[in-house]
Amino acid sequence: MKLFSNAEQIVTCNTNGVNFKKDKDFSELEVLTSHAIIVENDLIKDIIPNQSIKNFSDYEIFDLKNKIILPGLVECHTHTAFAGSRADEFKMKLDGVHYEEIASQGGGILKTVNAVRNISLTDLVELIKPRIDEFISQGITTLEIKSGYGLNFENEIKLLHAIKILDELYPIDIVPTFLGAHTFPKEFRENHQVYIEEIVNKMIPHIAKNNLAEFCDAFCETSAFSSEEVDLIFSAAKKHGLKLKLHTEQFNNIGGLDVALKHNAISVDHLEVLKESDIGKLADSDVVCDLLPGVSFFLNYQFAPARKLIDAGVVVALSTDYNPGSSHILNLHLIMQLAALKMQLKAEEIINAVTINAAKSLGRNDSIGSIEIGKKADFSIFNTEEYPDIIYNVGRNLNCMTIKNGEVIYQRV
Ligand code: NIG
Ligand code: FE
């Protein structure tokens, strides 16, 4: 057995069995002092006051003096599986060209699609590895990765295979999402129906049969898929047992939200242009709103109405949306800091958003996302004595140790 003792704080994100946070609970955080965590195998066996520890010799001891323990961070929305660079487009953006304008000229997502189609599976896996190492160094123990830069059968499957290989190679859990409906590939720009049939009749059945994805996502946007098209794709995905997520209300409101709610999607992501009149619909459901402040920051664009959503009682999570075009930000801590500085979230809300609520966004909140007896022993250890320091140290990574399933998988000396 292992004993994680002497930490200045254990930030548990305990929900007393609810396994997500909204309303008043979202701004609250259980913080234990003078407590230790007992881990047996991969699970939290007990959380006890320091003074009640008896036989120290029973344990392998981790002395966390001057440090704090948080649940392993959960990164619930990324496009980490990409090849190539879009630095040239970043320069265009700095010169004032809009993200959507670049996309309509054949750049944007389609530029990355070209790079992905031209790389081998082995090289792709090698390319992604350092990105995963970087997430782990920040205390992330569960990481969602989407496909979406292949946009044909062969290359979407190649991306999902790469994600599967990485999940097997790395100790963290990597959650695969199929995003074949990211945008229309060049060859089907004028013939949406053929590409949708390819997704519905070929890609989804193959992916489901071979367990290559847990979620199906889509981009509901004027430049990508209409709500009717998403409806067709979601119906097929559901029929094959995939859970649903949707990129929606990023630049336009074209009905994505209603389709997502109709199909009981587990999350709706982006919401930068969410209509105020739609907030009630979200509050009436327990759909998770994955907010992505890095995108607004990177594109110099409006932020999602986070405060209004939280005050209405919506379930809110936060994520990097790490991708080469709209949020080239491989840093969940910076996202947490942006949420504070640009979306007016409180430190407690931010921590709940990247732990228990992000776990709900991945449908894994019954086993991860908080430090509670019986849950997985996934921890992020920070080199500080108080949790608000994580937000205050803008641009710095205070994580010094990452524990997954009770094992130390990263340690900074
Ligand atoms: O979440 N909105 C669509 N997809 C990504 C951007 C992907 C890209 O530009 O490569 C996003 O922002
Ligand atoms: Fe995204």
Side-chain angles (χ1 to χ4, degrees), residues 13 15 19-29 74-77 245 266-272 274 278-279 282-293 303-320 332 335-336 338-340 342-362 365 369:
C13 300
T15 63
N19 282 331
F20 64 92
K21 292 203 175 202
K22 62 178 184 178
D23 294 316
K24 207 171 128 291
D25 292 339
F26 188 54
S27 59
E28 282 170 7
L29 211 49
V74 179
E75 169 50 276
C76 63
H77 177 144
K245 290 179 160 286
I266 202 159
S267 74
V268 285
D269 304 41
H270 277 290
L271 310 181
E272 288 86 346
L274 179 70
D278 280 335
I279 294 179
L282 297 170
D284 287 342
S285 78
D286 279 337
V287 68
V288 181
C289 295
D290 290 338
L291 305 185
L292 314 167
F303 288 80
R307 265 294 22 118
K308 285 184 180 156
L309 286 164
I310 294 165
D311 295 342
V314 169
V315 186
V316 166
L318 287 165
S319 162
T320 60
L332 186 57
I335 297 306
M336 295 163 71
L338 288 175
K342 297 290 189 185
M343 286 176 156
Q344 288 80 46
L345 265 69
K346 299 175 198 159
E348 296 75 16
E349 295 172 331
I350 291 165
I351 290 174
N352 285 321
V354 296
T355 55
I356 191 67
N357 283 4
K360 178 171 169 62
S361 175
L362 296 182
N365 48 332

Coordinates of all heavy atoms in Angstrom, one line a residue, residues 13 15 19-29 74-77 245 266-272 274 278-279 282-293 303-320 332 335-336 338-340 342-362 365 369:
C13 N -12.4 17.8 -4.4 CA -13.5 18.0 -5.4 C -14.6 17.0 -5.1 O -15.4 16.6 -6.0 CB -13.0 17.8 -6.8 SG -11.8 19.0 -7.3
T15 N -18.0 15.3 -4.2 CA -19.3 15.7 -4.6 C -20.4 14.9 -3.8 O -21.6 14.9 -4.1 CB -19.6 15.4 -6.1 OG1 -19.5 14.0 -6.3 CG2 -18.7 16.2 -7.0
N19 N -21.1 13.3 -8.3 CA -20.1 13.1 -9.4 C -20.1 14.2 -10.5 O -19.6 14.0 -11.6 CB -20.2 11.7 -10.0 CG -19.5 10.7 -9.1 OD1 -18.5 11.1 -8.4 ND2 -19.9 9.5 -9.2
F20 N -20.7 15.3 -10.2 CA -20.5 16.6 -11.0 C -20.9 17.7 -10.2 O -21.5 17.5 -9.1 CB -21.2 16.5 -12.4 CG -22.7 16.5 -12.3 CD1 -23.4 17.7 -12.4 CD2 -23.4 15.3 -12.3 CE1 -24.8 17.7 -12.4 CE2 -24.8 15.3 -12.2 CZ -25.5 16.4 -12.3
K21 N -20.6 18.9 -10.6 CA -20.9 20.1 -9.8 C -21.6 21.2 -10.7 O -21.1 21.5 -11.8 CB -19.6 20.7 -9.2 CG -19.0 19.8 -8.2 CD -18.1 20.6 -7.3 CE -17.6 19.7 -6.1 NZ -17.2 20.6 -5.0
K22 N -22.6 21.7 -10.1 CA -23.3 22.9 -10.7 C -23.9 23.7 -9.6 O -23.8 23.4 -8.4 CB -24.3 22.5 -11.7 CG -25.5 21.7 -11.2 CD -26.5 21.4 -12.3 CE -27.7 20.6 -11.8 NZ -28.7 20.4 -12.8
D23 N -24.5 24.8 -9.9 CA -25.1 25.8 -9.0 C -24.1 26.1 -7.9 O -22.9 26.3 -8.1 CB -26.4 25.1 -8.4 CG -27.5 25.0 -9.4 OD1 -27.7 25.9 -10.2 OD2 -28.1 23.9 -9.5
K24 N -24.6 26.1 -6.6 CA -23.8 26.5 -5.5 C -22.5 25.6 -5.3 O -21.5 26.0 -5.0 CB -24.6 26.5 -4.2 CG -24.2 27.5 -3.2 CD -25.2 27.6 -2.1 CE -24.6 27.4 -0.7 NZ -24.2 26.1 -0.3
D25 N -22.8 24.3 -5.5 CA -21.7 23.3 -5.4 C -20.5 23.6 -6.2 O -19.3 23.3 -5.9 CB -22.1 21.9 -5.7 CG -23.2 21.4 -4.7 OD1 -23.2 21.9 -3.6 OD2 -23.9 20.5 -5.1
F26 N -20.7 24.2 -7.4 CA -19.6 24.5 -8.4 C -18.6 25.5 -7.8 O -17.4 25.4 -8.1 CB -20.2 25.0 -9.7 CG -19.3 25.1 -10.8 CD1 -18.5 24.0 -11.2 CD2 -19.1 26.3 -11.5 CE1 -17.6 24.1 -12.2 CE2 -18.2 26.4 -12.5 CZ -17.4 25.4 -12.9
S27 N -19.1 26.4 -7.0 CA -18.1 27.3 -6.4 C -17.5 26.9 -5.1 O -16.8 27.6 -4.4 CB -18.7 28.7 -6.3 OG -19.8 28.6 -5.4
E28 N -17.9 25.6 -4.7 CA -17.3 25.1 -3.4 C -16.3 24.0 -3.7 O -16.4 23.3 -4.7 CB -18.5 24.6 -2.5 CG -19.1 25.8 -1.9 CD -20.4 25.5 -1.2 OE1 -20.8 24.3 -1.0 OE2 -21.1 26.5 -0.8
L29 N -15.4 23.9 -2.8 CA -14.3 23.0 -2.9 C -14.0 22.4 -1.5 O -13.7 23.2 -0.6 CB -13.1 23.7 -3.5 CG -12.1 23.1 -4.4 CD1 -12.7 22.3 -5.5 CD2 -11.2 24.1 -4.9
V74 N -8.2 16.4 -15.9 CA -8.9 15.7 -17.0 C -9.0 16.7 -18.1 O -9.6 17.8 -18.0 CB -10.3 15.2 -16.6 CG1 -11.0 14.5 -17.8 CG2 -10.2 14.3 -15.4
E75 N -8.4 16.4 -19.3 CA -8.4 17.2 -20.4 C -9.5 16.6 -21.4 O -9.2 15.6 -22.0 CB -7.0 17.3 -21.0 CG -6.8 17.9 -22.4 CD -7.5 19.3 -22.5 OE1 -8.7 19.3 -22.8 OE2 -6.8 20.3 -22.4
C76 N -10.6 17.3 -21.5 CA -11.8 16.6 -22.2 C -12.0 17.1 -23.6 O -13.1 16.6 -24.2 CB -13.0 16.8 -21.3 SG -13.5 18.6 -21.1
H77 N -11.2 17.9 -24.2 CA -11.5 18.3 -25.6 C -10.1 18.7 -26.3 O -9.7 19.8 -26.1 CB -12.5 19.4 -25.7 CG -12.8 20.0 -27.0 ND1 -14.0 20.4 -27.4 CD2 -12.0 20.2 -28.1 CE1 -14.0 20.9 -28.6 NE2 -12.8 20.7 -29.1
K245 N -20.7 14.2 -28.7 CA -20.3 15.5 -28.3 C -20.5 16.4 -29.5 O -20.5 15.9 -30.7 CB -18.8 15.5 -28.0 CG -18.4 14.8 -26.8 CD -16.9 14.8 -26.6 CE -16.5 14.5 -25.1 NZ -16.8 15.6 -24.2
I266 N -23.5 14.2 -24.6 CA -22.9 14.3 -23.2 C -22.3 15.7 -23.0 O -22.3 16.2 -21.9 CB -21.9 13.2 -23.0 CG1 -21.6 12.9 -21.5 CG2 -20.6 13.4 -23.7 CD1 -21.1 11.5 -21.2
S267 N -21.9 16.3 -24.1 CA -21.3 17.7 -24.0 C -21.6 18.5 -25.2 O -21.8 18.0 -26.3 CB -19.8 17.7 -23.7 OG -19.1 17.4 -24.9
V268 N -21.7 19.9 -25.0 CA -21.7 20.8 -26.1 C -20.5 21.7 -25.9 O -20.3 22.2 -24.8 CB -23.0 21.6 -26.2 CG1 -24.1 20.7 -26.8 CG2 -23.5 22.2 -24.9
D269 N -19.7 21.9 -27.0 CA -18.4 22.6 -26.8 C -18.3 23.8 -27.6 O -18.9 23.9 -28.7 CB -17.3 21.6 -27.2 CG -17.4 20.2 -26.5 OD1 -18.5 19.7 -26.3 OD2 -16.3 19.7 -26.1
H270 N -17.6 24.8 -27.1 CA -17.4 26.2 -27.7 C -18.4 27.2 -27.1 O -18.1 27.8 -26.1 CB -17.5 26.2 -29.2 CG -16.2 25.8 -29.9 ND1 -15.1 26.6 -29.9 CD2 -15.9 24.7 -30.6 CE1 -14.1 26.0 -30.6 NE2 -14.6 24.8 -31.0
L271 N -19.5 27.4 -27.8 CA -20.6 28.3 -27.2 C -20.2 29.8 -27.2 O -20.8 30.5 -26.4 CB -21.1 27.8 -25.8 CG -21.4 26.3 -25.7 CD1 -21.9 26.0 -24.3 CD2 -22.5 25.9 -26.7
E272 N -19.2 30.2 -28.0 CA -18.8 31.6 -27.9 C -20.0 32.5 -28.3 O -20.1 33.6 -27.8 CB -17.6 31.8 -28.9 CG -16.3 31.3 -28.4 CD -16.1 29.8 -28.8 OE1 -17.1 29.1 -29.2 OE2 -15.0 29.3 -28.7
L274 N -23.3 31.7 -28.1 CA -24.5 31.2 -27.6 C -25.6 32.3 -27.3 O -25.2 33.4 -26.8 CB -24.2 30.5 -26.2 CG -25.4 29.9 -25.5 CD1 -25.9 28.7 -26.2 CD2 -25.0 29.5 -24.1
D278 N -31.0 30.7 -25.1 CA -30.7 29.2 -25.1 C -30.1 28.7 -23.8 O -30.0 27.5 -23.6 CB -29.8 28.9 -26.3 CG -30.5 28.8 -27.6 OD1 -31.8 28.5 -27.6 OD2 -29.9 29.0 -28.6
I279 N -29.8 29.6 -22.9 CA -29.1 29.2 -21.7 C -30.0 28.3 -20.8 O -29.6 27.3 -20.3 CB -28.6 30.4 -20.9 CG1 -27.5 31.1 -21.7 CG2 -28.1 30.0 -19.5 CD1 -26.9 32.4 -21.0
L282 N -30.0 24.7 -21.6 CA -28.8 24.0 -21.1 C -28.9 23.7 -19.6 O -28.5 22.7 -19.1 CB -27.5 24.8 -21.4 CG -27.2 25.0 -22.9 CD1 -26.1 26.0 -23.1 CD2 -26.8 23.7 -23.5
A283 N -29.5 24.7 -18.9 CA -29.6 24.5 -17.5 C -30.7 23.5 -17.1 O -30.6 22.8 -16.1 CB -30.0 25.9 -16.9
D284 N -31.6 23.2 -18.0 CA -32.6 22.2 -17.8 C -32.1 20.8 -18.0 O -32.7 19.8 -17.6 CB -33.8 22.4 -18.7 CG -34.6 23.6 -18.3 OD1 -34.5 24.1 -17.2 OD2 -35.4 24.1 -19.2
S285 N -30.9 20.7 -18.6 CA -30.4 19.3 -18.8 C -29.1 19.3 -18.1 O -28.6 20.2 -17.5 CB -30.0 19.2 -20.3 OG -28.8 19.8 -20.6
D286 N -28.5 18.1 -18.0 CA -27.2 18.0 -17.4 C -26.0 17.8 -18.4 O -25.0 17.3 -18.1 CB -27.1 16.8 -16.4 CG -27.8 17.2 -15.0 OD1 -27.8 18.4 -14.7 OD2 -28.2 16.3 -14.3
V287 N -26.3 18.4 -19.6 CA -25.3 18.3 -20.6 C -24.1 19.2 -20.1 O -24.3 20.2 -19.5 CB -25.8 18.9 -22.0 CG1 -26.2 20.4 -21.9 CG2 -24.9 18.6 -23.1
V288 N -22.9 18.8 -20.4 CA -21.7 19.5 -19.9 C -21.4 20.6 -21.0 O -21.3 20.2 -22.2 CB -20.5 18.6 -19.7 CG1 -19.3 19.4 -19.2 CG2 -20.8 17.5 -18.7
C289 N -21.2 21.8 -20.6 CA -20.7 22.8 -21.5 C -19.2 22.9 -21.4 O -18.7 23.4 -20.4 CB -21.4 24.2 -21.2 SG -23.2 24.1 -21.5
D290 N -18.5 22.4 -22.4 CA -17.1 22.5 -22.4 C -16.7 23.9 -23.0 O -16.8 24.1 -24.2 CB -16.5 21.4 -23.3 CG -16.7 20.0 -22.7 OD1 -16.8 19.9 -21.5 OD2 -16.6 19.0 -23.5
L291 N -16.1 24.7 -22.1 CA -15.8 26.1 -22.6 C -14.3 26.1 -22.9 O -13.5 25.4 -22.2 CB -16.1 27.1 -21.5 CG -17.6 27.1 -21.1 CD1 -17.8 28.2 -20.1 CD2 -18.5 27.2 -22.3
L292 N -13.9 26.8 -23.9 CA -12.6 26.8 -24.5 C -12.0 28.2 -24.6 O -11.9 28.7 -25.8 CB -12.7 26.1 -25.9 CG -13.5 24.8 -26.0 CD1 -13.8 24.4 -27.4 CD2 -12.9 23.7 -25.2
P293 N -11.6 28.8 -23.5 CA -11.2 30.2 -23.6 C -9.9 30.4 -24.4 O -9.6 31.5 -24.9 CB -10.9 30.5 -22.1 CG -10.8 29.3 -21.4 CD -11.7 28.3 -22.1
F303 N -15.5 35.6 -25.9 CA -15.5 34.5 -25.0 C -16.9 34.0 -24.8 O -17.8 34.8 -24.9 CB -14.8 34.8 -23.6 CG -13.3 35.0 -23.7 CD1 -12.8 36.2 -24.2 CD2 -12.5 34.0 -23.3 CE1 -11.4 36.4 -24.3 CE2 -11.1 34.2 -23.4 CZ -10.6 35.4 -23.9
A304 N -17.0 32.7 -24.5 CA -18.4 32.1 -24.2 C -18.9 32.8 -22.9 O -18.1 33.2 -22.1 CB -18.2 30.6 -24.0
P305 N -20.2 33.0 -22.8 CA -20.7 33.7 -21.6 C -20.7 32.8 -20.4 O -21.7 32.4 -19.8 CB -22.2 34.0 -22.1 CG -22.5 32.9 -23.0 CD -21.2 32.5 -23.7
A306 N -19.5 32.6 -19.9 CA -19.3 31.6 -18.8 C -20.1 32.0 -17.5 O -20.7 31.1 -16.9 CB -17.8 31.5 -18.5
R307 N -20.0 33.2 -17.1 CA -20.6 33.6 -15.9 C -22.1 33.4 -16.0 O -22.8 32.9 -15.0 CB -20.4 35.1 -15.6 CG -19.3 35.5 -14.7 CD -19.2 35.2 -13.3 NE -19.8 34.2 -12.6 CZ -19.2 33.2 -11.9 NH1 -17.9 33.1 -11.9 NH2 -19.9 32.3 -11.3
K308 N -22.7 33.8 -17.1 CA -24.2 33.6 -17.3 C -24.5 32.2 -17.2 O -25.6 31.8 -16.6 CB -24.6 34.2 -18.6 CG -24.6 35.7 -18.6 CD -25.2 36.3 -19.8 CE -25.2 37.9 -19.7 NZ -25.1 38.5 -21.0
L309 N -23.7 31.3 -17.8 CA -24.0 29.9 -17.8 C -23.9 29.3 -16.4 O -24.8 28.6 -15.9 CB -23.0 29.1 -18.7 CG -23.2 29.3 -20.2 CD1 -22.0 28.8 -21.0 CD2 -24.4 28.5 -20.7
I310 N -22.9 29.7 -15.7 CA -22.7 29.2 -14.3 C -23.8 29.7 -13.4 O -24.4 28.9 -12.6 CB -21.3 29.6 -13.8 CG1 -20.2 29.0 -14.6 CG2 -21.2 29.3 -12.3 CD1 -18.8 29.6 -14.4
D311 N -24.1 31.0 -13.5 CA -25.2 31.5 -12.7 C -26.5 30.9 -13.0 O -27.4 30.9 -12.1 CB -25.2 33.1 -12.8 CG -23.9 33.7 -12.2 OD1 -23.1 32.9 -11.5 OD2 -23.6 34.8 -12.5
A312 N -26.7 30.4 -14.2 CA -28.0 29.8 -14.5 C -28.0 28.3 -14.1 O -29.0 27.6 -14.2 CB -28.2 29.9 -16.0
G313 N -26.9 27.8 -13.6 CA -26.9 26.4 -13.1 C -26.5 25.4 -14.1 O -26.9 24.2 -14.0
V314 N -25.7 25.8 -15.1 CA -25.3 24.9 -16.2 C -24.0 24.1 -15.7 O -23.3 24.7 -14.9 CB -25.0 25.7 -17.5 CG1 -24.3 24.8 -18.5 CG2 -26.3 26.3 -18.0
V315 N -23.8 22.9 -16.1 CA -22.6 22.2 -15.8 C -21.5 22.6 -16.7 O -21.6 22.5 -17.9 CB -22.8 20.6 -16.0 CG1 -21.6 19.9 -15.5 CG2 -24.1 20.2 -15.3
V316 N -20.4 23.2 -16.2 CA -19.3 23.8 -17.0 C -18.0 23.0 -16.8 O -17.6 22.8 -15.7 CB -19.2 25.3 -16.6 CG1 -17.9 25.8 -17.2 CG2 -20.4 26.1 -17.1
A317 N -17.4 22.7 -17.9 CA -16.0 22.2 -17.9 C -15.1 23.1 -18.7 O -15.6 23.9 -19.5 CB -16.0 20.8 -18.5
L318 N -13.8 23.0 -18.6 CA -12.9 23.8 -19.3 C -11.9 22.9 -20.0 O -11.5 21.9 -19.5 CB -12.1 24.7 -18.4 CG -12.8 25.9 -17.7 CD1 -12.0 26.4 -16.6 CD2 -13.0 27.0 -18.8
S319 N -11.4 23.3 -21.2 CA -10.4 22.5 -21.9 C -9.6 23.4 -22.8 O -9.9 24.5 -23.2 CB -11.2 21.5 -22.7 OG -10.3 21.0 -23.7
T320 N -8.4 22.8 -23.2 CA -7.5 23.6 -24.1 C -8.1 23.7 -25.6 O -7.7 24.6 -26.3 CB -6.1 22.9 -24.2 OG1 -6.3 21.6 -24.8 CG2 -5.4 22.9 -22.9
L332 N -3.0 23.3 -20.2 CA -4.3 23.4 -19.5 C -4.2 24.4 -18.3 O -5.2 25.1 -18.0 CB -4.7 22.0 -18.9 CG -6.1 22.0 -18.3 CD1 -7.2 22.4 -19.3 CD2 -6.4 20.5 -17.8
I335 N -5.1 27.7 -19.7 CA -6.5 27.8 -19.9 C -7.3 28.1 -18.6 O -8.2 28.9 -18.6 CB -7.0 26.4 -20.5 CG1 -6.4 26.2 -21.8 CG2 -8.6 26.4 -20.6 CD1 -6.5 27.2 -22.9
M336 N -6.8 27.5 -17.5 CA -7.4 27.8 -16.2 C -7.2 29.3 -15.8 O -8.1 29.9 -15.3 CB -6.8 26.9 -15.2 CG -7.0 25.4 -15.4 SD -5.9 24.3 -14.5 CE -6.5 24.5 -12.8
L338 N -6.7 31.7 -18.0 CA -7.6 32.6 -18.9 C -9.0 32.5 -18.4 O -9.7 33.6 -18.5 CB -7.5 32.0 -20.3 CG -6.2 32.3 -21.1 CD1 -6.2 31.6 -22.5 CD2 -5.9 33.8 -21.3
A339 N -9.4 31.4 -17.9 CA -10.8 31.3 -17.4 C -11.0 32.3 -16.3 O -12.1 32.9 -16.1 CB -11.1 29.9 -17.0
A340 N -10.0 32.5 -15.5 CA -10.1 33.4 -14.3 C -10.0 34.9 -14.9 O -10.9 35.7 -14.5 CB -8.9 33.2 -13.4
K342 N -10.3 36.1 -18.0 CA -11.1 36.5 -19.2 C -12.6 36.1 -19.1 O -13.4 36.6 -19.8 CB -10.5 36.0 -20.5 CG -9.1 36.5 -20.8 CD -9.2 38.0 -21.2 CE -7.9 38.5 -21.7 NZ -7.9 39.9 -22.0
M343 N -12.8 35.1 -18.2 CA -14.2 34.7 -18.1 C -14.7 34.9 -16.7 O -15.9 34.4 -16.4 CB -14.3 33.2 -18.4 CG -14.2 32.9 -19.9 SD -14.2 31.1 -20.1 CE -14.8 31.0 -21.8
Q344 N -13.9 35.4 -15.8 CA -14.3 35.7 -14.4 C -14.7 34.5 -13.6 O -15.6 34.6 -12.8 CB -15.5 36.8 -14.4 CG -15.1 38.2 -14.8 CD -15.0 38.4 -16.3 OE1 -15.9 38.0 -17.0 NE2 -13.9 39.0 -16.7
L345 N -14.1 33.4 -13.9 CA -14.4 32.2 -13.0 C -13.5 32.3 -11.8 O -12.4 32.8 -11.8 CB -14.0 30.9 -13.8 CG -15.2 30.2 -14.5 CD1 -15.7 31.0 -15.7 CD2 -14.9 28.8 -14.9
K346 N -14.1 31.7 -10.7 CA -13.3 31.7 -9.4 C -12.4 30.5 -9.4 O -12.7 29.5 -10.1 CB -14.3 31.6 -8.3 CG -15.2 32.8 -8.2 CD -16.2 32.5 -7.1 CE -17.4 33.4 -7.3 NZ -18.6 32.9 -6.6
A347 N -11.4 30.6 -8.6 CA -10.4 29.5 -8.5 C -11.1 28.1 -8.2 O -10.8 27.1 -8.9 CB -9.4 29.7 -7.4
E348 N -12.1 28.1 -7.3 CA -12.8 26.9 -7.0 C -13.5 26.3 -8.2 O -13.5 25.1 -8.5 CB -13.8 27.1 -5.8 CG -13.1 27.6 -4.5 CD -12.6 29.0 -4.5 OE1 -13.1 29.8 -5.4 OE2 -11.8 29.4 -3.6
E349 N -14.2 27.2 -8.9 CA -15.0 26.8 -10.1 C -14.0 26.2 -11.2 O -14.3 25.2 -11.8 CB -15.7 28.0 -10.7 CG -16.8 28.6 -9.7 CD -17.4 29.9 -10.2 OE1 -16.7 30.7 -10.9 OE2 -18.5 30.2 -9.9
I350 N -12.9 26.9 -11.3 CA -11.9 26.4 -12.3 C -11.4 25.0 -12.0 O -11.3 24.1 -12.9 CB -10.8 27.4 -12.4 CG1 -11.3 28.7 -13.0 CG2 -9.6 26.9 -13.3 CD1 -10.3 29.9 -12.8
I351 N -11.1 24.8 -10.8 CA -10.6 23.4 -10.4 C -11.7 22.4 -10.6 O -11.4 21.3 -11.1 CB -10.0 23.5 -9.0 CG1 -8.7 24.3 -9.0 CG2 -9.8 22.1 -8.4 CD1 -8.1 24.6 -7.7
N352 N -12.9 22.7 -10.2 CA -14.0 21.8 -10.4 C -14.2 21.5 -11.9 O -14.5 20.4 -12.4 CB -15.3 22.3 -9.9 CG -15.4 22.1 -8.3 OD1 -14.9 21.2 -7.8 ND2 -15.9 23.1 -7.7
A353 N -14.0 22.6 -12.7 CA -14.2 22.5 -14.2 C -13.2 21.5 -14.9 O -13.5 20.9 -15.9 CB -14.2 23.8 -14.8
V354 N -12.0 21.4 -14.4 CA -11.0 20.6 -15.0 C -10.8 19.3 -14.3 O -9.8 18.5 -14.6 CB -9.6 21.3 -15.2 CG1 -9.7 22.6 -16.1 CG2 -9.0 21.7 -13.8
T355 N -11.6 19.0 -13.4 CA -11.5 17.7 -12.7 C -12.9 17.0 -12.8 O -13.1 16.3 -13.8 CB -11.1 17.9 -11.2 OG1 -12.1 18.8 -10.6 CG2 -9.7 18.4 -11.1
I356 N -13.8 17.2 -11.9 CA -15.0 16.3 -11.8 C -15.9 16.6 -13.0 O -16.5 15.7 -13.6 CB -15.7 16.5 -10.5 CG1 -16.8 15.4 -10.3 CG2 -16.2 17.9 -10.2 CD1 -16.3 14.0 -10.2
N357 N -16.0 17.9 -13.4 CA -16.9 18.2 -14.5 C -16.3 17.8 -15.9 O -17.0 17.3 -16.8 CB -17.3 19.7 -14.6 CG -18.4 20.0 -13.5 OD1 -18.7 19.1 -12.7 ND2 -18.9 21.2 -13.5
A358 N -15.0 17.9 -16.0 CA -14.4 17.4 -17.2 C -14.5 15.9 -17.3 O -14.7 15.3 -18.4 CB -12.9 17.8 -17.3
A359 N -14.4 15.2 -16.1 CA -14.6 13.8 -16.1 C -16.0 13.4 -16.5 O -16.3 12.4 -17.3 CB -14.4 13.2 -14.7
K360 N -17.0 14.2 -16.1 CA -18.4 14.0 -16.6 C -18.5 14.2 -18.1 O -19.2 13.4 -18.8 CB -19.4 14.9 -15.9 CG -20.8 14.8 -16.4 CD -21.8 15.5 -15.5 CE -23.2 15.6 -16.1 NZ -23.9 14.3 -16.2
S361 N -17.8 15.1 -18.6 CA -17.8 15.3 -20.1 C -17.3 14.1 -20.8 O -17.6 13.9 -22.0 CB -17.0 16.6 -20.4 OG -16.9 16.8 -21.8
L362 N -16.5 13.3 -20.1 CA -16.0 12.1 -20.8 C -16.7 10.8 -20.3 O -16.3 9.7 -20.6 CB -14.5 11.9 -20.5 CG -13.6 13.0 -21.1 CD1 -12.1 12.8 -20.9 CD2 -13.8 13.1 -22.6
N365 N -17.0 10.1 -14.8 CA -17.0 10.8 -13.5 C -17.4 9.8 -12.3 O -17.2 10.2 -11.2 CB -18.0 11.9 -13.5 CG -19.4 11.6 -14.1 OD1 -19.5 10.7 -14.9 ND2 -20.4 12.3 -13.6
G369 N -11.9 12.1 -11.4 CA -12.3 13.5 -11.3 C -12.4 14.0 -9.9 O -12.5 15.2 -9.7

